[in-house]
Amino acid sequence: MRSLYFLRGGVIFISIDDNEQAPLKLLCDEIFGSNNFITNLLWQSTPGSNTGKAIKTVTEYVLMYAKQKEKLNINSKPVDDIKKYKFKDEHLEFRGPYVTNKLDRRMTGSHYSEALNYPIDMPDGTLLYPGCLTEKQDHWNWRWSRQKVEWGVANDFILFEKKKGKWAIYFKQYLKVDNNDIAIERSLTYQNLVLENAMNAARGTREVMDIFSEKKFDYPKPLALISFILNMASKQNSTILDFFAGSGTTLHATMQLNAEDGGHRKCILVTNNENNICEEVTYERNKRVIQGYTTPKGEEVEGFHDNNLRYYRTNFLSRDKSVKNMRQLVRLATDMLCIKNDVYIEAEFCGKKINPNIARYFDNGQGNRMLVVYEERAIQLLVQLMAQTEDDGIKTMVYVFSPGADPYTDDFEDVAERVKLCALPSAIYEAYKRVLPKRKPKFLDEALQEMKTQAEAEANVQQTLDFGENDYMNEEGGDA
């Protein structure tokens, strides 16, 4: 959990029920630091019942921790009572509509200020004290100072009203500006008690049934809960990782929020495929959400068509650094490199189809290009092809298999300005070194014997690679 959390930083949310909340809090304090604890969100997961005598637990928790609390920037919540701003005046374009609030209020104890208990001239010359009386009375204050009231009158922030012979003073609270006439976006702070509508497990079940027309998953999280979290903590270009993906609610909520605010959030889901959950629920749900679907009631739900969805299977590879394992790691890591560089469309390289056993080239047509070279002996021909094509100013990200950390910089000298090089798998090993537990060191004799055996085995491998062009550049091509 620590490794996943610190890969990208930011903030982590962990859902838990009442049974395990207390020990999880202690564990998280140890892992992330109690100083980075933000809050414990409390939401109502079940409606409860009126039967029985035992106290029924109807809530669950979401623990929230930051990588660095002092650098965390939580979003504010849009005002939910915007309709109350119903009055308009000549300042509508800049200030927006407004609502009126009384300028005076009753104060008690230390909250009372003698300096704010003063008379204000009414349009007819009447002197009015706070409390709407012509005589001074205790425990009443104006909200604004004398100077502020003078400014408010001059700038049309103050209203004088006379009803049934009595004066009252109001100030205008505009939607788009504060009380100093400075443009703002009115918002509210989030609270840890989540009182959003439609936020319970039963709603989550109905949302999944609307897509599949049957119950496919037990206790899926409701969209409203995940949307609440994303609205609170994500930015429009955030990457969201859910490593207990379940029914895929997090991705569904991410696409929905992107559609609402024009964001470009990316979402990564991780799950096992027990009972085919990945293929038949997680993936299939979000595939239908993208394409659109029909509910059991016959309602057509428009899809989020501006999204794409891919899923990958993981497997284990030996950590022993034999050349065979290293080459296999680079081949298997290609899909992850596509994700890293946001390019998935395999294309011809400089007008040539490449044998996928030699190298693979990806180009999304929008400036993202990636070349993965599996056979380092093909570098010379690949460089020659690149040198023969016109330079359009867009660099290609080139990953080259190398037993060491050198990405064959000298070999790419002729096209150095057109490429960005990275040696693999050394960069992959360095990345894993930060997240995998350290291995116990071997005794010197044991290590030397292993190296000798490995070298002998690799020396016996017969390599029949022909350096002819036809072997590298397969005109017929092939699917990756």
Side-chain angles (χ1 to χ4, degrees), residues 194-240:
V194 184
L195 298 174
E196 305 295 310
N197 293 327
M199 194 177 293
N200 55 66
R203 180 58 179 262
T205 300
R206 287 198 300 273
E207 289 165 350
V208 173
M209 291 184 67
D210 279 346
I211 297 172
F212 291 104
S213 300
E214 60 178 306
K215 186 177 181 180
K216 280 278 192 176
F217 191 83
D218 292 329
Y219 309 114
K221 293 294 185 292
L223 272 170
L225 175 64
I226 307 302
S227 296
F228 178 90
I229 291 173
L230 295 180
N231 274 298
M232 177 172 60
S234 76
K235 308 304 177 187
Q236 289 195 336
N237 62 345
S238 290
T239 298
I240 295 106

Side-chain angles (χ1 to χ4, degrees), residues 342-465:
D342 194 23
V343 55
Y344 306 94
I345 302 173
E346 199 153 4
E348 293 183 347
F349 179 73
C350 300
K352 292 282 188 177
K353 293 181 180 180
I354 308 176
N355 185 330
N357 293 319
I358 303 300
R360 294 174 68 186
Y361 177 67
F362 300 83
D363 188 341
N364 67 356
Q366 300 177 355
N368 285 14
R369 297 172 179 172
M370 181 181 76
L371 175 66
V372 185
V373 183
Y374 306 124
E375 283 291 346
E376 63 275 23
R377 285 174 289 177
I379 293 176
Q380 183 179 359
L381 287 174
L382 294 170
V383 169
Q384 288 176 2
L385 283 175
M386 183 176 288
Q388 293 170 6
T389 60
E390 185 178 351
D391 183 4
D392 58 6
I394 301 175
K395 283 195 173 185
T396 300
M397 185 69 223
V398 180
Y399 295 95
V400 187
F401 171 79
S402 173
D406 176 26
Y408 296 93
T409 304
D410 292 342
D411 297 64
F412 283 90
E413 182 178 3
D414 292 344
V415 292
E417 297 299 320
R418 301 171 61 176
V419 298
K420 184 177 179 181
L421 300 174
C422 179
L424 295 181
S426 62
I428 298 174
Y429 285 130
E430 285 300 316
Y432 276 112
K433 190 182 295 183
R434 295 193 293 268
V435 298
L436 292 176
K438 293 183 178 180
R439 302 178 70 177
K440 294 182 179 180
K442 296 178 179 179
F443 292 107
L444 180 60
D445 291 343
E446 182 184 353
L448 289 174
Q449 181 59 41
E450 182 177 303
M451 291 174 61
K452 181 180 179 181
T453 303
Q454 177 178 311
E456 291 174 350
E458 292 173 358
N460 291 329
V461 175
Q462 298 297 320
Q463 303 229 10
T464 59
L465 183 63

Side-chain angles (χ1 to χ4, degrees), residues 60-259:
E60 291 188 18
Y61 304 88
V62 180
L63 291 176
M64 178 181 178
Y65 283 81
K67 179 179 180 181
Q68 291 179 290
K69 185 175 182 178
E70 64 276 9
K71 294 184 179 181
L72 182 64
N73 183 19
I74 296 296
N75 299 324
S76 53
K77 187 179 181 181
V79 292
D80 52 8
D81 56 350
I82 193 172
K83 292 182 179 180
K84 75 177 185 179
Y85 294 86
K86 57 184 179 180
F87 300 112
K88 300 177 182 179
D89 58 19
E90 63 270 27
H91 310 292
L92 179 64
E93 183 175 354
F94 177 69
R95 296 178 181 175
Y98 69 90
V99 63
T100 58
N101 294 302
K102 294 200 70 173
L103 189 64
D104 57 351
R105 57 183 174 181
R106 185 175 177 83
M107 309 298 290
T108 58
S110 60
H111 297 289
Y112 172 77
S113 171
E114 183 66 26
L116 294 177
N117 194 347
Y118 59 88
I120 296 177
D121 285 331
M122 298 296 101
D124 63 359
T126 301
L127 291 178
L128 190 70
Y129 284 89
C132 298
L133 296 175
T134 55
E135 295 182 359
K136 184 176 181 179
Q137 52 186 326
D138 293 335
H139 307 301
W140 279 88
N141 278 160
W142 298 118
R143 295 171 183 257
W144 292 4
S145 66
R146 290 176 184 268
Q147 293 79 9
K148 180 70 174 179
V149 169
E150 291 175 0
W151 176 90
V153 172
N155 289 276
D156 199 18
F157 270 79
I158 296 293
L159 286 175
F160 301 102
E161 287 191 1
K162 191 174 186 180
K163 294 181 180 180
K164 296 182 180 181
K166 291 186 176 181
W167 283 102
I169 307 177
Y170 300 87
F171 69 91
K172 300 178 183 178
Q173 178 180 308
Y174 289 94
L175 177 63
K176 296 182 179 180
V177 299
D178 62 15
N179 289 335
N180 293 312
D181 206 18
I182 298 174
I184 61 169
E185 184 175 344
R186 290 204 176 273
S187 58
L188 304 171
T189 58
Y190 280 90
Q191 299 178 352
N192 76 316
L193 180 58
V194 184
L195 298 174
E196 305 295 310
N197 293 327
M199 194 177 293
N200 55 66
R203 180 58 179 262
T205 300
R206 287 198 300 273
E207 289 165 350
V208 173
M209 291 184 67
D210 279 346
I211 297 172
F212 291 104
S213 300
E214 60 178 306
K215 186 177 181 180
K216 280 278 192 176
F217 191 83
D218 292 329
Y219 309 114
K221 293 294 185 292
L223 272 170
L225 175 64
I226 307 302
S227 296
F228 178 90
I229 291 173
L230 295 180
N231 274 298
M232 177 172 60
S234 76
K235 308 304 177 187
Q236 289 195 336
N237 62 345
S238 290
T239 298
I240 295 106
L241 168 66
D242 185 344
F243 45 89
F244 288 100
S247 68
T249 303
T250 299
L251 176 55
H252 188 165
T254 300
M255 292 189 288
Q256 181 173 285
L257 183 55
N258 280 341

